[in-house]
Amino acid sequence: MISKAKHIEAEIERLKKAQNAIILAHYYQDSEIQDVADFIGDSLQLAQEAKKTNADVIVFAGVHFMAETAKILNPTRKVVLPDLDAGCSLAQSCPADQLAAWKKLHPEHLVVSYINCTAGVKALSDIICTSSNAEKVVRSLPADKPILFAPDRNLGAYVMKQTGRKMDLWQGTCIVHETFSERKLLALKHDHPGAVVLAHPECEPTVLRHADVIGSTSALLKASQTNPARAFIVATEPGILHQMQRASPDKQFIPAPPEGNCACNECPYMKRNTLEKVLLALRDLTPEITMPEDLRLAALRPMERMLAVS
Ligand code: 13P
Ligand code: SF4
Protein backbone atom coordinates (compact mmCIF):
# COMPACT_ATOMS: atom_id res chain seq x y z
CA MET A 1 0.00 0.00 0.00
CA ILE A 2 1.28 3.50 -0.88
CA SER A 3 2.13 5.60 2.24
CA LYS A 4 0.43 8.94 2.96
CA ALA A 5 3.70 10.85 2.40
CA LYS A 6 4.28 9.12 -0.95
CA HIS A 7 0.71 9.91 -1.99
CA ILE A 8 1.22 13.61 -1.12
CA GLU A 9 4.53 13.67 -3.00
CA ALA A 10 2.89 12.17 -6.11
CA GLU A 11 0.06 14.70 -5.93
CA ILE A 12 2.58 17.56 -5.56
CA GLU A 13 4.40 16.35 -8.69
CA ARG A 14 1.12 16.18 -10.62
CA LEU A 15 0.04 19.67 -9.49
CA LYS A 16 3.44 21.20 -10.28
CA LYS A 17 2.95 20.22 -13.93
CA ALA A 18 -0.74 21.16 -14.02
CA GLN A 19 -0.08 24.63 -12.54
CA ASN A 20 3.28 25.18 -14.29
CA ALA A 21 4.72 25.76 -10.83
CA ILE A 22 8.10 25.40 -9.18
CA ILE A 23 8.89 24.86 -5.52
CA LEU A 24 11.78 26.87 -4.11
CA ALA A 25 12.91 25.70 -0.66
CA HIS A 26 15.31 27.09 1.90
CA TYR A 27 17.80 24.73 3.57
CA TYR A 28 15.96 25.16 6.87
CA GLN A 29 12.79 23.47 5.59
CA ASP A 30 11.83 19.97 6.73
CA SER A 31 13.69 17.33 4.73
CA GLU A 32 10.47 16.03 3.16
CA ILE A 33 9.82 19.52 1.73
CA GLN A 34 13.42 19.78 0.47
CA ASP A 35 12.87 16.44 -1.27
CA VAL A 36 9.96 17.75 -3.41
CA ALA A 37 11.64 21.10 -4.18
CA ASP A 38 12.89 22.02 -7.66
CA PHE A 39 15.56 24.23 -6.16
CA ILE A 40 17.06 24.38 -2.65
CA GLY A 41 19.28 27.27 -1.65
CA ASP A 42 20.27 30.05 0.71
CA SER A 43 18.55 33.44 0.67
CA LEU A 44 20.67 34.84 -2.16
CA GLN A 45 20.40 31.77 -4.38
CA LEU A 46 16.63 31.62 -3.85
CA ALA A 47 16.26 35.29 -4.79
CA GLN A 48 18.34 34.74 -7.93
CA GLU A 49 16.31 31.66 -8.84
CA ALA A 50 13.01 33.47 -8.23
CA LYS A 51 14.14 36.28 -10.53
CA LYS A 52 14.91 34.01 -13.47
CA THR A 53 12.13 31.44 -13.37
CA ASN A 54 9.59 31.21 -16.20
CA ALA A 55 7.14 29.18 -14.14
CA ASP A 56 3.70 30.75 -13.69
CA VAL A 57 3.64 29.94 -9.99
CA ILE A 58 6.38 30.04 -7.36
CA VAL A 59 5.60 28.02 -4.24
CA PHE A 60 8.03 29.49 -1.74
CA ALA A 61 8.88 26.99 0.97
CA GLY A 62 10.59 29.44 3.28
CA VAL A 63 9.49 32.43 5.33
CA HIS A 64 7.46 35.52 4.48
CA PHE A 65 10.33 37.93 3.69
CA MET A 66 11.73 35.39 1.21
CA ALA A 67 8.42 34.97 -0.63
CA GLU A 68 7.99 38.75 -0.62
CA THR A 69 11.47 39.09 -2.13
CA ALA A 70 10.49 36.65 -4.90
CA LYS A 71 7.44 38.80 -5.67
CA ILE A 72 9.54 41.99 -5.69
CA LEU A 73 11.90 40.43 -8.23
CA ASN A 74 9.35 38.63 -10.40
CA PRO A 75 6.01 40.46 -10.15
CA THR A 76 4.26 38.74 -13.07
CA ARG A 77 4.47 35.34 -11.34
CA LYS A 78 2.05 34.22 -8.69
CA VAL A 79 3.98 33.67 -5.43
CA VAL A 80 2.41 31.52 -2.73
CA LEU A 81 3.71 30.81 0.78
CA PRO A 82 2.40 27.57 2.34
CA ASP A 83 1.87 29.27 5.72
CA LEU A 84 1.36 33.03 5.75
CA ASP A 85 2.42 33.17 9.43
CA ALA A 86 5.92 31.90 8.63
CA GLY A 87 7.62 35.10 9.80
CA CYS A 88 11.11 35.89 11.10
CA SER A 89 12.28 37.44 14.38
CA LEU A 90 14.72 39.66 12.51
CA ALA A 91 12.07 41.05 10.18
CA GLN A 92 9.73 41.58 13.15
CA SER A 93 12.40 43.43 15.13
CA CYS A 94 12.53 46.24 12.60
CA PRO A 95 9.21 47.88 11.65
CA ALA A 96 9.51 50.29 8.71
CA ASP A 97 8.32 53.32 10.71
CA GLN A 98 11.05 52.75 13.33
CA LEU A 99 13.71 52.40 10.66
CA ALA A 100 12.43 55.63 9.05
CA ALA A 101 12.81 57.39 12.43
CA TRP A 102 16.39 56.03 12.84
CA LYS A 103 17.26 57.19 9.31
CA LYS A 104 15.92 60.66 10.12
CA LEU A 105 18.33 60.90 13.06
CA HIS A 106 21.22 60.00 10.71
CA PRO A 107 20.54 61.79 7.42
CA GLU A 108 24.14 61.39 6.17
CA HIS A 109 24.18 57.60 6.55
CA LEU A 110 23.66 54.94 3.90
CA VAL A 111 21.27 52.18 4.95
CA VAL A 112 22.35 48.57 4.37
CA SER A 113 19.59 46.09 5.20
CA TYR A 114 19.93 42.37 5.58
CA ILE A 115 17.43 40.62 3.29
CA ASN A 116 15.66 39.30 6.44
CA CYS A 117 13.38 42.35 6.55
CA THR A 118 10.00 43.46 5.21
CA ALA A 119 9.40 45.09 1.83
CA GLY A 120 8.73 48.34 3.73
CA VAL A 121 12.24 48.25 5.23
CA LYS A 122 13.79 47.29 1.90
CA ALA A 123 12.07 50.32 0.34
CA LEU A 124 13.84 52.60 2.86
CA SER A 125 17.27 51.02 2.24
CA ASP A 126 20.08 52.01 -0.11
CA ILE A 127 21.23 48.46 -0.65
CA ILE A 128 20.27 44.96 0.55
CA CYS A 129 22.67 42.17 1.52
CA THR A 130 22.42 38.51 2.43
CA SER A 131 24.72 36.50 4.67
CA SER A 132 26.66 35.35 1.60
CA ASN A 133 27.42 38.79 0.17
CA ALA A 134 27.27 41.18 3.17
CA GLU A 135 31.03 41.81 3.22
CA LYS A 136 31.11 42.44 -0.51
CA VAL A 137 28.11 44.78 -0.33
CA VAL A 138 29.64 46.84 2.50
CA ARG A 139 33.02 47.00 0.74
CA SER A 140 31.24 48.31 -2.40
CA LEU A 141 30.06 51.48 -0.58
CA PRO A 142 32.02 54.75 -0.71
CA ALA A 143 34.58 54.81 2.14
CA ASP A 144 33.59 58.32 3.27
CA LYS A 145 29.93 57.43 3.84
CA PRO A 146 28.73 56.39 7.34
CA ILE A 147 26.50 53.28 7.42
CA LEU A 148 23.40 52.16 9.29
CA PHE A 149 23.09 48.36 9.26
CA ALA A 150 19.74 46.66 9.99
CA PRO A 151 18.29 44.51 11.42
CA ASP A 152 20.83 41.81 12.53
CA ARG A 153 23.38 43.12 15.05
CA ASN A 154 25.38 39.86 14.94
CA LEU A 155 25.81 39.80 11.17
CA GLY A 156 26.54 43.54 11.34
CA ALA A 157 29.23 43.08 14.01
CA TYR A 158 30.79 40.23 12.03
CA VAL A 159 30.91 42.35 8.84
CA MET A 160 32.44 45.25 10.81
CA LYS A 161 35.17 42.90 12.04
CA GLN A 162 35.85 41.51 8.56
CA THR A 163 35.85 44.84 6.71
CA GLY A 164 37.20 47.17 9.42
CA ARG A 165 34.29 49.44 8.53
CA LYS A 166 32.47 51.07 11.42
CA MET A 167 28.66 50.83 11.21
CA ASP A 168 25.76 51.71 13.49
CA LEU A 169 23.79 48.52 14.16
CA TRP A 170 20.08 47.91 14.63
CA GLN A 171 19.73 45.61 17.65
CA GLY A 172 17.77 42.72 16.06
CA THR A 173 18.68 39.05 16.46
CA CYS A 174 17.62 35.69 15.07
CA ILE A 175 15.88 33.71 17.82
CA VAL A 176 17.48 30.54 16.48
CA HIS A 177 21.10 31.65 16.16
CA GLU A 178 21.20 33.61 19.41
CA THR A 179 20.27 30.42 21.27
CA PHE A 180 23.45 28.39 20.71
CA SER A 181 25.38 27.76 23.90
CA GLU A 182 29.10 28.58 24.07
CA ARG A 183 29.42 26.33 27.12
CA LYS A 184 27.87 23.31 25.37
CA LEU A 185 29.79 24.01 22.16
CA LEU A 186 33.08 23.87 24.07
CA ALA A 187 32.01 20.58 25.70
CA LEU A 188 31.16 19.14 22.26
CA LYS A 189 34.52 20.27 20.87
CA HIS A 190 36.20 18.53 23.78
CA ASP A 191 34.26 15.30 23.11
CA HIS A 192 34.96 15.45 19.36
CA PRO A 193 38.57 16.55 18.96
CA GLY A 194 39.23 17.24 15.29
CA ALA A 195 35.61 18.20 14.55
CA VAL A 196 35.35 21.34 12.44
CA VAL A 197 32.93 24.01 13.74
CA LEU A 198 30.72 25.55 11.05
CA ALA A 199 28.74 28.65 12.11
CA HIS A 200 26.33 31.09 10.53
CA PRO A 201 27.17 34.80 11.05
CA GLU A 202 23.77 35.32 12.73
CA CYS A 203 25.30 33.54 15.79
CA GLU A 204 26.46 35.54 18.79
CA PRO A 205 30.16 36.59 18.83
CA THR A 206 30.71 34.21 21.81
CA VAL A 207 29.90 31.30 19.47
CA LEU A 208 31.53 32.72 16.34
CA ARG A 209 34.88 33.00 18.13
CA HIS A 210 35.06 29.19 18.29
CA ALA A 211 34.11 28.64 14.63
CA ASP A 212 36.52 27.31 12.02
CA VAL A 213 34.27 28.39 9.13
CA ILE A 214 31.74 31.25 9.21
CA GLY A 215 29.35 31.67 6.30
CA SER A 216 25.87 31.51 4.81
CA THR A 217 24.05 28.19 4.72
CA SER A 218 25.34 27.46 1.20
CA ALA A 219 28.91 28.38 2.22
CA LEU A 220 28.67 26.03 5.22
CA LEU A 221 27.28 23.24 3.02
CA LYS A 222 30.17 23.73 0.60
CA ALA A 223 32.71 23.70 3.45
CA SER A 224 31.23 20.44 4.75
CA GLN A 225 31.92 18.90 1.32
CA THR A 226 35.38 20.30 0.65
CA ASN A 227 36.90 20.13 4.15
CA PRO A 228 38.58 16.73 4.64
CA ALA A 229 37.52 16.50 8.34
CA ARG A 230 35.32 13.53 9.23
CA ALA A 231 33.16 15.33 11.83
CA PHE A 232 31.48 18.75 11.89
CA ILE A 233 29.67 20.68 14.60
CA VAL A 234 27.02 22.78 12.87
CA ALA A 235 25.90 26.05 14.48
CA THR A 236 22.94 26.94 12.33
CA GLU A 237 19.37 25.66 11.91
CA PRO A 238 19.60 21.85 11.70
CA GLY A 239 17.47 21.66 8.51
CA ILE A 240 20.78 22.13 6.65
CA LEU A 241 22.00 18.76 7.94
CA HIS A 242 19.77 16.97 5.40
CA GLN A 243 21.81 18.26 2.44
CA MET A 244 25.13 17.97 4.31
CA GLN A 245 24.50 14.32 5.13
CA ARG A 246 23.21 13.60 1.63
CA ALA A 247 26.34 15.09 0.01
CA SER A 248 28.74 13.41 2.48
CA PRO A 249 27.10 10.24 3.82
CA ASP A 250 30.32 9.05 5.47
CA LYS A 251 30.86 12.21 7.53
CA GLN A 252 29.37 12.97 10.94
CA PHE A 253 27.31 16.12 11.43
CA ILE A 254 26.52 17.21 14.98
CA PRO A 255 24.00 20.02 15.55
CA ALA A 256 25.29 22.67 17.97
CA PRO A 257 23.04 22.61 21.06
CA PRO A 258 20.96 25.47 22.46
CA GLU A 259 21.54 26.57 26.07
CA GLY A 260 18.22 25.19 27.37
CA ASN A 261 16.83 21.67 27.00
CA CYS A 262 14.59 22.76 24.15
CA ALA A 263 14.40 22.35 20.39
CA CYS A 264 14.94 26.09 20.03
CA ASN A 265 17.73 25.63 17.49
CA GLU A 266 14.88 24.79 15.07
CA CYS A 267 13.29 27.83 13.43
CA PRO A 268 9.61 27.83 14.49
CA TYR A 269 8.74 30.04 11.53
CA MET A 270 10.39 27.85 8.90
CA LYS A 271 8.81 24.79 10.50
CA ARG A 272 5.28 26.20 10.08
CA ASN A 273 5.43 24.93 6.50
CA THR A 274 4.55 21.26 6.12
CA LEU A 275 4.31 18.93 3.14
CA GLU A 276 0.50 19.05 3.43
CA LYS A 277 0.52 22.86 3.35
CA VAL A 278 2.79 22.80 0.29
CA LEU A 279 0.24 20.56 -1.42
CA LEU A 280 -2.65 22.87 -0.49
CA ALA A 281 -0.73 25.97 -1.63
CA LEU A 282 -0.11 24.30 -5.00
CA ARG A 283 -3.70 23.15 -5.36
CA ASP A 284 -5.45 26.37 -4.26
CA LEU A 285 -2.73 28.91 -5.20
CA THR A 286 -3.07 30.56 -1.80
CA PRO A 287 -1.94 32.18 0.45
CA GLU A 288 -0.70 34.55 -2.24
CA ILE A 289 1.91 37.28 -1.66
CA THR A 290 0.84 40.65 -3.05
CA MET A 291 1.94 44.24 -2.47
CA PRO A 292 1.24 47.71 -3.84
CA GLU A 293 3.25 48.41 -6.99
CA ASP A 294 4.84 51.61 -5.61
CA LEU A 295 6.14 49.66 -2.59
CA ARG A 296 7.43 46.88 -4.84
CA LEU A 297 9.30 49.34 -7.07
CA ALA A 298 10.85 51.12 -4.08
CA ALA A 299 11.97 47.76 -2.61
CA LEU A 300 13.26 46.58 -5.99
CA ARG A 301 15.88 49.34 -6.33
CA PRO A 302 18.11 48.29 -3.37
CA MET A 303 17.58 44.62 -4.30
CA GLU A 304 18.88 45.26 -7.82
CA ARG A 305 21.87 47.11 -6.43
CA MET A 306 22.67 44.06 -4.35
CA LEU A 307 22.27 41.68 -7.28
CA ALA A 308 24.60 43.84 -9.37
CA VAL A 309 27.26 43.65 -6.62
CA SER A 310 26.76 39.87 -6.24
P1 13P B 1 21.11 32.36 4.51
O1 13P B 1 20.02 31.72 3.73
O2 13P B 1 21.61 33.60 3.82
O3 13P B 1 22.21 31.45 4.86
O4 13P B 1 20.46 32.89 5.88
C1 13P B 1 19.97 32.03 6.81
C2 13P B 1 18.70 32.47 7.44
O5 13P B 1 18.58 32.64 8.61
C3 13P B 1 17.59 32.66 6.59
O6 13P B 1 16.52 33.05 7.34
FE1 SF4 C 1 14.47 34.39 10.78
FE2 SF4 C 1 16.26 33.10 12.23
FE3 SF4 C 1 14.18 31.77 11.30
FE4 SF4 C 1 16.09 32.62 9.60
S1 SF4 C 1 16.30 31.12 11.21
S2 SF4 C 1 13.87 32.80 9.34
S3 SF4 C 1 16.71 34.54 10.58
S4 SF4 C 1 14.10 33.48 12.78
Side-chain angles (χ1 to χ4, degrees), residues 22-47:
I22 55 162
I23 300 177
L24 304 183
H26 191 269
Y27 290 121
Y28 294 166
Q29 291 291 283
D30 279 337
S31 49
E32 56 185 15
I33 296 181
Q34 294 187 34
D35 290 347
V36 296
D38 298 283
F39 183 86
I40 312 163
D42 69 9
S43 306
L44 178 63
Q45 294 167 328
L46 290 168

mmCIF file of all heavy atoms in Angstrom, residues 22-47:
data_model
loop_
_atom_site.group_PDB
_atom_site.id
_atom_site.type_symbol
_atom_site.label_atom_id
_atom_site.label_comp_id
_atom_site.label_asym_id
_atom_site.label_seq_id
_atom_site.Cartn_x
_atom_site.Cartn_y
_atom_site.Cartn_z
ATOM 1 N N ILE A 22 6.880 25.959 -9.764
ATOM 2 C CA ILE A 22 8.099 25.400 -9.176
ATOM 3 C C ILE A 22 8.054 25.603 -7.662
ATOM 4 O O ILE A 22 7.422 26.541 -7.177
ATOM 5 C CB ILE A 22 9.418 26.020 -9.704
ATOM 6 C CG1 ILE A 22 9.434 27.535 -9.532
ATOM 7 C CG2 ILE A 22 9.721 25.596 -11.118
ATOM 8 C CD1 ILE A 22 10.837 28.096 -9.617
ATOM 9 N N ILE A 23 8.763 24.723 -6.979
ATOM 10 C CA ILE A 23 8.890 24.860 -5.522
ATOM 11 C C ILE A 23 10.329 25.259 -5.216
ATOM 12 O O ILE A 23 11.272 24.563 -5.607
ATOM 13 C CB ILE A 23 8.549 23.535 -4.800
ATOM 14 C CG1 ILE A 23 7.105 23.115 -5.112
ATOM 15 C CG2 ILE A 23 8.758 23.679 -3.290
ATOM 16 C CD1 ILE A 23 6.697 21.776 -4.502
ATOM 17 N N LEU A 24 10.470 26.419 -4.582
ATOM 18 C CA LEU A 24 11.780 26.868 -4.108
ATOM 19 C C LEU A 24 11.810 26.632 -2.596
ATOM 20 O O LEU A 24 10.872 27.027 -1.899
ATOM 21 C CB LEU A 24 11.981 28.361 -4.384
ATOM 22 C CG LEU A 24 11.833 28.832 -5.845
ATOM 23 C CD1 LEU A 24 12.145 30.331 -5.937
ATOM 24 C CD2 LEU A 24 12.743 28.051 -6.772
ATOM 25 N N ALA A 25 12.860 26.007 -2.110
ATOM 26 C CA ALA A 25 12.907 25.702 -0.665
ATOM 27 C C ALA A 25 14.218 26.161 -0.045
ATOM 28 O O ALA A 25 15.292 26.004 -0.639
ATOM 29 C CB ALA A 25 12.735 24.201 -0.432
ATOM 30 N N HIS A 26 14.106 26.732 1.144
ATOM 31 C CA HIS A 26 15.309 27.093 1.902
ATOM 32 C C HIS A 26 15.844 25.847 2.609
ATOM 33 O O HIS A 26 15.090 24.923 2.913
ATOM 34 C CB HIS A 26 14.988 28.204 2.921
ATOM 35 C CG HIS A 26 16.225 28.797 3.530
ATOM 36 N ND1 HIS A 26 16.774 28.304 4.689
ATOM 37 C CD2 HIS A 26 17.045 29.802 3.119
ATOM 38 C CE1 HIS A 26 17.875 28.998 4.979
ATOM 39 N NE2 HIS A 26 18.056 29.920 4.035
ATOM 40 N N TYR A 27 17.157 25.857 2.894
ATOM 41 C CA TYR A 27 17.803 24.733 3.573
ATOM 42 C C TYR A 27 17.218 24.430 4.946
ATOM 43 O O TYR A 27 17.465 23.365 5.493
ATOM 44 C CB TYR A 27 19.298 25.013 3.746
ATOM 45 C CG TYR A 27 20.103 24.994 2.473
ATOM 46 C CD1 TYR A 27 20.823 26.106 2.064
ATOM 47 C CD2 TYR A 27 20.168 23.839 1.694
ATOM 48 C CE1 TYR A 27 21.588 26.078 0.908
ATOM 49 C CE2 TYR A 27 20.919 23.804 0.532
ATOM 50 C CZ TYR A 27 21.626 24.933 0.148
ATOM 51 O OH TYR A 27 22.373 24.895 -0.989
ATOM 52 N N TYR A 28 16.496 25.376 5.532
ATOM 53 C CA TYR A 28 15.957 25.155 6.873
ATOM 54 C C TYR A 28 14.587 24.468 6.849
ATOM 55 O O TYR A 28 13.989 24.250 7.911
ATOM 56 C CB TYR A 28 15.806 26.493 7.619
ATOM 57 C CG TYR A 28 17.094 27.221 7.931
ATOM 58 C CD1 TYR A 28 17.072 28.556 8.327
ATOM 59 C CD2 TYR A 28 18.332 26.595 7.847
ATOM 60 C CE1 TYR A 28 18.237 29.241 8.628
ATOM 61 C CE2 TYR A 28 19.498 27.281 8.141
ATOM 62 C CZ TYR A 28 19.442 28.610 8.534
ATOM 63 O OH TYR A 28 20.592 29.292 8.832
ATOM 64 N N GLN A 29 14.085 24.158 5.658
ATOM 65 C CA GLN A 29 12.793 23.474 5.593
ATOM 66 C C GLN A 29 12.950 22.010 6.010
ATOM 67 O O GLN A 29 14.053 21.439 5.919
ATOM 68 C CB GLN A 29 12.235 23.554 4.173
ATOM 69 C CG GLN A 29 11.816 24.961 3.781
ATOM 70 C CD GLN A 29 10.587 25.430 4.546
ATOM 71 O OE1 GLN A 29 9.477 25.046 4.253
ATOM 72 N NE2 GLN A 29 10.814 26.268 5.554
ATOM 73 N N ASP A 30 11.835 21.404 6.421
ATOM 74 C CA ASP A 30 11.835 19.971 6.730
ATOM 75 C C ASP A 30 12.388 19.202 5.537
ATOM 76 O O ASP A 30 12.154 19.592 4.381
ATOM 77 C CB ASP A 30 10.402 19.488 6.989
ATOM 78 C CG ASP A 30 9.952 19.813 8.399
ATOM 79 O OD1 ASP A 30 10.817 19.994 9.270
ATOM 80 O OD2 ASP A 30 8.732 19.889 8.610
ATOM 81 N N SER A 31 13.070 18.085 5.828
ATOM 82 C CA SER A 31 13.695 17.326 4.734
ATOM 83 C C SER A 31 12.678 16.856 3.700
ATOM 84 O O SER A 31 12.954 16.839 2.504
ATOM 85 C CB SER A 31 14.481 16.150 5.296
ATOM 86 O OG SER A 31 13.696 15.433 6.206
ATOM 87 N N GLU A 32 11.453 16.525 4.136
ATOM 88 C CA GLU A 32 10.467 16.035 3.156
ATOM 89 C C GLU A 32 10.040 17.152 2.197
ATOM 90 O O GLU A 32 9.675 16.885 1.049
ATOM 91 C CB GLU A 32 9.267 15.383 3.848
ATOM 92 C CG GLU A 32 8.556 16.253 4.845
ATOM 93 C CD GLU A 32 7.457 15.501 5.591
ATOM 94 O OE1 GLU A 32 7.448 14.257 5.541
ATOM 95 O OE2 GLU A 32 6.608 16.163 6.204
ATOM 96 N N ILE A 33 10.116 18.402 2.645
ATOM 97 C CA ILE A 33 9.824 19.525 1.731
ATOM 98 C C ILE A 33 11.012 19.718 0.784
ATOM 99 O O ILE A 33 10.836 19.904 -0.423
ATOM 100 C CB ILE A 33 9.509 20.821 2.512
ATOM 101 C CG1 ILE A 33 8.227 20.640 3.335
ATOM 102 C CG2 ILE A 33 9.370 22.004 1.557
ATOM 103 C CD1 ILE A 33 7.804 21.853 4.133
ATOM 104 N N GLN A 34 12.229 19.664 1.336
ATOM 105 C CA GLN A 34 13.421 19.775 0.470
ATOM 106 C C GLN A 34 13.374 18.724 -0.640
ATOM 107 O O GLN A 34 13.761 18.990 -1.776
ATOM 108 C CB GLN A 34 14.688 19.606 1.291
ATOM 109 C CG GLN A 34 14.924 20.722 2.311
ATOM 110 C CD GLN A 34 16.283 20.606 2.993
ATOM 111 O OE1 GLN A 34 17.263 20.185 2.397
ATOM 112 N NE2 GLN A 34 16.349 21.011 4.250
ATOM 113 N N ASP A 35 12.861 17.541 -0.296
ATOM 114 C CA ASP A 35 12.870 16.442 -1.269
ATOM 115 C C ASP A 35 11.884 16.642 -2.428
ATOM 116 O O ASP A 35 12.029 15.989 -3.469
ATOM 117 C CB ASP A 35 12.599 15.105 -0.568
ATOM 118 C CG ASP A 35 13.775 14.682 0.320
ATOM 119 O OD1 ASP A 35 14.864 15.285 0.197
ATOM 120 O OD2 ASP A 35 13.601 13.753 1.132
ATOM 121 N N VAL A 36 10.879 17.501 -2.276
ATOM 122 C CA VAL A 36 9.964 17.751 -3.407
ATOM 123 C C VAL A 36 10.292 19.071 -4.112
ATOM 124 O O VAL A 36 9.619 19.451 -5.076
ATOM 125 C CB VAL A 36 8.466 17.759 -2.978
ATOM 126 C CG1 VAL A 36 8.040 16.398 -2.459
ATOM 127 C CG2 VAL A 36 8.182 18.861 -1.950
ATOM 128 N N ALA A 37 11.325 19.781 -3.614
ATOM 129 C CA ALA A 37 11.644 21.096 -4.182
ATOM 130 C C ALA A 37 12.365 20.968 -5.523
ATOM 131 O O ALA A 37 13.089 20.002 -5.770
ATOM 132 C CB ALA A 37 12.512 21.874 -3.197
ATOM 133 N N ASP A 38 12.153 21.975 -6.385
ATOM 134 C CA ASP A 38 12.889 22.023 -7.659
ATOM 135 C C ASP A 38 14.233 22.691 -7.462
ATOM 136 O O ASP A 38 15.156 22.494 -8.241
ATOM 137 C CB ASP A 38 12.072 22.816 -8.682
ATOM 138 C CG ASP A 38 10.750 22.143 -8.941
ATOM 139 O OD1 ASP A 38 10.743 21.149 -9.675
ATOM 140 O OD2 ASP A 38 9.737 22.576 -8.353
ATOM 141 N N PHE A 39 14.311 23.522 -6.428
ATOM 142 C CA PHE A 39 15.563 24.229 -6.156
ATOM 143 C C PHE A 39 15.656 24.454 -4.651
ATOM 144 O O PHE A 39 14.691 24.896 -4.024
ATOM 145 C CB PHE A 39 15.588 25.568 -6.905
ATOM 146 C CG PHE A 39 16.868 26.313 -6.733
ATOM 147 C CD1 PHE A 39 17.954 26.071 -7.565
ATOM 148 C CD2 PHE A 39 17.017 27.259 -5.713
ATOM 149 C CE1 PHE A 39 19.165 26.741 -7.385
ATOM 150 C CE2 PHE A 39 18.217 27.937 -5.536
ATOM 151 C CZ PHE A 39 19.290 27.674 -6.377
ATOM 152 N N ILE A 40 16.820 24.156 -4.085
ATOM 153 C CA ILE A 40 17.062 24.381 -2.653
ATOM 154 C C ILE A 40 18.241 25.340 -2.550
ATOM 155 O O ILE A 40 19.238 25.155 -3.275
ATOM 156 C CB ILE A 40 17.424 23.057 -1.924
ATOM 157 C CG1 ILE A 40 16.432 21.960 -2.290
ATOM 158 C CG2 ILE A 40 17.457 23.246 -0.414
ATOM 159 C CD1 ILE A 40 16.939 20.561 -1.946
ATOM 160 N N GLY A 41 18.154 26.331 -1.710
ATOM 161 C CA GLY A 41 19.278 27.266 -1.647
ATOM 162 C C GLY A 41 19.253 28.134 -0.417
ATOM 163 O O GLY A 41 18.368 28.015 0.440
ATOM 164 N N ASP A 42 20.258 29.037 -0.350
ATOM 165 C CA ASP A 42 20.267 30.048 0.708
ATOM 166 C C ASP A 42 19.479 31.262 0.203
ATOM 167 O O ASP A 42 18.956 31.258 -0.925
ATOM 168 C CB ASP A 42 21.702 30.387 1.147
ATOM 169 C CG ASP A 42 22.502 31.143 0.093
ATOM 170 O OD1 ASP A 42 21.939 31.575 -0.936
ATOM 171 O OD2 ASP A 42 23.725 31.328 0.297
ATOM 172 N N SER A 43 19.409 32.297 1.012
ATOM 173 C CA SER A 43 18.554 33.438 0.667
ATOM 174 C C SER A 43 18.937 34.075 -0.664
ATOM 175 O O SER A 43 18.064 34.430 -1.459
ATOM 176 C CB SER A 43 18.646 34.503 1.762
ATOM 177 O OG SER A 43 18.356 33.942 2.998
ATOM 178 N N LEU A 44 20.238 34.213 -0.909
ATOM 179 C CA LEU A 44 20.666 34.843 -2.160
ATOM 180 C C LEU A 44 20.329 33.954 -3.358
ATOM 181 O O LEU A 44 19.760 34.418 -4.350
ATOM 182 C CB LEU A 44 22.179 35.133 -2.121
ATOM 183 C CG LEU A 44 22.740 35.748 -3.412
ATOM 184 C CD1 LEU A 44 22.113 37.112 -3.671
ATOM 185 C CD2 LEU A 44 24.259 35.876 -3.360
ATOM 186 N N GLN A 45 20.660 32.687 -3.257
ATOM 187 C CA GLN A 45 20.398 31.769 -4.378
ATOM 188 C C GLN A 45 18.902 31.684 -4.674
ATOM 189 O O GLN A 45 18.498 31.614 -5.838
ATOM 190 C CB GLN A 45 20.924 30.372 -4.033
ATOM 191 C CG GLN A 45 22.434 30.323 -3.914
ATOM 192 C CD GLN A 45 22.912 29.023 -3.270
ATOM 193 O OE1 GLN A 45 22.233 28.444 -2.419
ATOM 194 N NE2 GLN A 45 24.075 28.562 -3.673
ATOM 195 N N LEU A 46 18.085 31.699 -3.638
ATOM 196 C CA LEU A 46 16.634 31.618 -3.846
ATOM 197 C C LEU A 46 16.120 32.880 -4.530
ATOM 198 O O LEU A 46 15.253 32.812 -5.401
ATOM 199 C CB LEU A 46 15.925 31.390 -2.504
ATOM 200 C CG LEU A 46 16.143 30.007 -1.887
ATOM 201 C CD1 LEU A 46 15.651 29.965 -0.448
ATOM 202 C CD2 LEU A 46 15.448 28.915 -2.705
ATOM 203 N N ALA A 47 16.674 34.039 -4.141
ATOM 204 C CA ALA A 47 16.259 35.291 -4.786
ATOM 205 C C ALA A 47 16.658 35.272 -6.262
ATOM 206 O O ALA A 47 15.876 35.656 -7.143
ATOM 207 C CB ALA A 47 16.903 36.484 -4.064
#
